[in-house]
Amino acid sequence: MAAKNFNTTNPESLIYQNDLLKLTVLGGIKLEGLDRMRSTLKIELKESSVPPVRHNLDLYNDNQTEKLIRRAAEKLEIGTSVLAASMAELTGQLEEYRMKQIKENEPKPYEPPKLSNDERKEAETLLKSENLLERTNELIGQSGVVGEEVNRLIMFLIFTSRKREQPLHIVSLGSSGTGKTHLQERVGELMPVEDRIEITTLSENAFYYFGQRELKNKLILIEDLDGAENVLYPLRELQSKKRISKTVAHKNTKGETKTLHLVVEGPVSVSGCTTKEQIYEDNANRSFLIYLDESEEQDSRIMDYQRKLSAGKVNTEAERAAAKLLQNAQRLLEPIKVVNPFAELLQIPKEVFKPRRTNNHYLQFIEAVTFYHQHQREQKADEETGEIYIETILEDVEATNQLLKEILLRKSDELNGACRNYLEQIKSYLEVENKKTFTNREIRKKLRINDSNQKRWTISLVNNYYL
């Protein structure tokens, strides 16, 4: 029968007809499970008053199909051979239709946009800028990130390191409502969409079911680490070993139990937000910790931006243009080895806790700064291996020292960042009020903090003999 006799206009009522018969597949056909073809058929004679035959069956089941042919042929008073030929033609048409639908419904792989000559030239000009970090930070601000000048540039460079063999990771810390997620989200949007994966919630085994290379050199943005306790272990493994694996029992279509080995490869760059620094110590040890600006000045800057945005006085087109320029610049960065000739001369303060990991972070951040400047560095070749590399210059070390000064001081502190901030706020209050004593209620009211946080910080301050 000709294909033109198969009407698929209504997917819930697929109609095949020839000169004698009209066969309707009621409710359409399921696209999943290619080993079966469950259908509800309505078989009727054209131009006849004989009532149609309706039946539910699997068209791939010979016994069911033969029984229906005999029953329908008897009721419609036609030959079984005619009905069998029509059923066979219908089955063939349904197979073609189903495969076509499956192909059309397949998610199309994302193709990164091809940069025009003007876009490429503009991005290259940025990457060759004399004050690249300063210019980049200006563009981050122009894209709509308010304040947090140091934190936003640190985060941007850490996100850039996703293209390297040793990516860096970051955890944003701060009280609820201070904009941790907003900062991560806005800086994350400056990375190409094809290189980032944004996650709101995760199940315990979620990471194991990504494709083997689906996460490779990707930026993983976790909105709230407080809701992701179950995935912290595989997350640490991805950060440290750059791969995770899991063996599970799996039943195939024949009911046989088989062992399935799931492997997901990194490396990845991971970013997350939390209010509970102490809970994530193992993950935090693998990450840079940044503390958000909770000052009244930052509150004023953000609220002023919100008011301007609401009043229509923010140039959102300029924000999008700045973000697009930074994304395009990221697309021009290529994986390349970085060699730091000054590494053996660099020392971190002896007071830093866990100096081995901190020292490694420090050196890797210097390499990340050099990596971002790759369009300004001469490419050299290793005489023995022929591997291409670029070298760190003193300006990269200086920029790193300026950016990480606060972070390295934090790592030398026996108090965590939130507790240190609390202590400094108390000291400022007592100085202003010219007092030497205070009550918890007095400080809680002045600083507008909740009772549970104050109790935790007070215990820490007492244990360390600050109070």
Side-chain angles (χ1 to χ4, degrees), residues 200-216:
T200 304
T201 57
L202 282 166
S203 63
E204 184 174 358
N205 294 314
F207 276 117
Y208 296 102
Y209 291 95
F210 281 99
Q212 182 170 348
R213 299 175 64 84
E214 192 176 350
L215 295 182
K216 194 171 180 66

Side-chain angles (χ1 to χ4, degrees), residues 146 178-179 297-307:
V146 180
T178 53
E297 291 80 4
Q298 176 66 359
D299 289 342
S300 297
R301 284 191 289 266
I302 292 175
M303 289 188 291
D304 184 54
Y305 175 83
Q306 291 170 342
R307 285 189 285 266

Side-chain angles (χ1 to χ4, degrees), residues 19-47:
D19 295 337
L20 183 63
L21 292 167
K22 179 180 178 181
L23 281 66
T24 304
V25 183
L26 302 172
I29 195 80
K30 290 185 178 180
L31 301 184
E32 65 275 4
L34 295 181
D35 59 337
R36 64 189 71 86
M37 190 175 279
R38 295 292 307 180
S39 311
T40 298
L41 294 185
K42 176 183 176 183
I43 306 173
E44 53 190 320
L45 277 173
K46 297 172 70 175
E47 301 177 1

